[in-house]
Amino acid sequence: QRIANAWSQLMLRLGYPRYAAQGGDWGAAVTMYIGAQDPDHCLGIHMNLVLALPDPTMDDLTDQEKSALEGMKYYNDWDSGYSKQQSTRPQTVGYGLTDSPSGQAAWIIEKFWSWMDCDGHPENIVTRDELLDNVMLYWLPATAASSARLYWESFNEAFARRDPVNVPVGCSIFPKEIFRTSKRLAEKRFANVVHFNELDKGGHFAAFEQPESYLREVRTCFRGLR
């Protein structure tokens, strides 16, 4: 919520009294709170990780929704060790990642391997230099610990709260995303879904993996809100 407020203040100070917001991963949570907290200036939001989970009491889940829940369960059981570490003991792993460039590279690139729609190897989608550029953004300024402080500060609260979002909402669902919500669930969570599309290719890092289709989705979402 504090990051969302900072972004809203930044836009106003830069001279943009009306703006749109887009996000995935943590940016999706930030974007959602921008829409909730600043409806007077934010004309709409778009997310490619849509935080619209099923109600535990729902007994009519579709096959797609069941598959999405299975994906979330796999993430929680087998793919979220990094987040548990960073949300409970972030400083411990921070020393190791700041001391070892190969450790920092493995920590980051493993997620590209796991979460990209890349047929088993991230270099099928992006170049090795692009992967290393990303790692260097953590390695050169030694921000392994500080960049992940968000997990420690707000991991549980950010995803548990359900602040109402009434601004127009766009959703782009990429097939290899960690959690893939349905249009029905999105419409239960958000009051005004104006764009919902399921794509054929792409994963968690949609803007990195599929920049053209990602940009097309964002433009399509916001074109009608100008």
Side-chain angles (χ1 to χ4, degrees):
Q1 297 93 320
R2 291 172 60 188
I3 296 172
N5 182 63
W7 283 176
S8 298
Q9 290 294 319
L10 175 64
M11 294 303 289
L12 293 176
R13 294 182 186 185
L14 289 174
Y16 296 99
R18 297 286 284 167
Y19 63 89
Q22 197 288 329
D25 195 85
W26 275 109
V30 171
T31 295
M32 184 174 63
Y33 284 118
I34 290 175
Q37 296 172 182
D38 193 25
D40 291 338
H41 302 103
C42 179
L43 61 86
I45 64 174
H46 176 274
M47 296 168 290
N48 53 283
L49 172 61
V50 183
L51 303 173
L53 306 177
D55 187 313
T57 63
M58 293 177 67
D59 58 3
D60 61 339
L61 295 178
T62 66
D63 289 343
Q64 179 206 10
E65 291 165 349
K66 291 176 182 177
S67 174
L69 281 181
E70 290 171 0
M72 180 61 79
K73 184 178 187 306
Y74 177 86
Y75 170 81
N76 287 331
D77 290 347
W78 297 102
D79 210 14
S80 60
Y82 75 100
S83 67
K84 291 181 173 63
Q85 178 74 29
Q86 290 172 327
S87 61
T88 58
R89 298 292 185 274
Q91 203 66 22
T92 306
V93 70
Y95 288 116
L97 296 179
T98 304
D99 186 63
S100 169
S102 60
Q104 180 68 89
W107 187 264
I108 298 297
I109 293 176
E110 184 268 333
K111 290 306 166 202
F112 289 137
W113 166 80
S114 180
W115 294 346
M116 277 184 167
D117 190 1
C118 62
D119 298 321
H121 200 301
E123 288 182 47
N124 291 329
I125 297 296
V126 296
T127 68
R128 183 170 298 187
D129 278 346
E130 288 175 317
L131 293 171
L132 293 175
D133 285 346
N134 194 289
V135 173
M136 294 300 281
L137 290 174
Y138 296 86
W139 175 252
L140 290 177
T143 54
S146 62
S147 66
R149 189 67 65 187
L150 190 59
Y151 288 85
W152 169 261
E153 296 286 352
S154 58
F155 186 80
N156 292 321
E157 182 181 9
F159 297 102
R161 286 178 51 171
R162 293 180 61 84
D163 299 43
V165 179
N166 296 314
V167 300
V169 173
C171 310
S172 297
I173 311 301
F174 289 83
K176 285 283 286 183
E177 182 55 88
I178 297 170
F179 175 79
R180 303 166 305 282
T181 197
S182 67
K183 185 176 183 181
R184 177 176 71 147
L185 294 178
E187 290 176 338
K188 286 174 68 70
R189 174 65 181 89
F190 305 109
N192 186 14
V193 176
V194 297
H195 175 80
F196 189 96
N197 189 32
E198 299 178 27
L199 291 99
D200 296 328
K201 184 72 174 177
H204 183 67
F205 305 98
F208 194 22
E209 301 174 52
Q210 300 293 332
E212 292 184 2
S213 60
Y214 164 85
L215 183 58
R216 187 164 53 247
E217 285 293 297
V218 175
R219 285 175 169 169
T220 299
C221 172
F222 291 133
R223 186 172 289 122
L225 302 179
R226 288 183 172 181

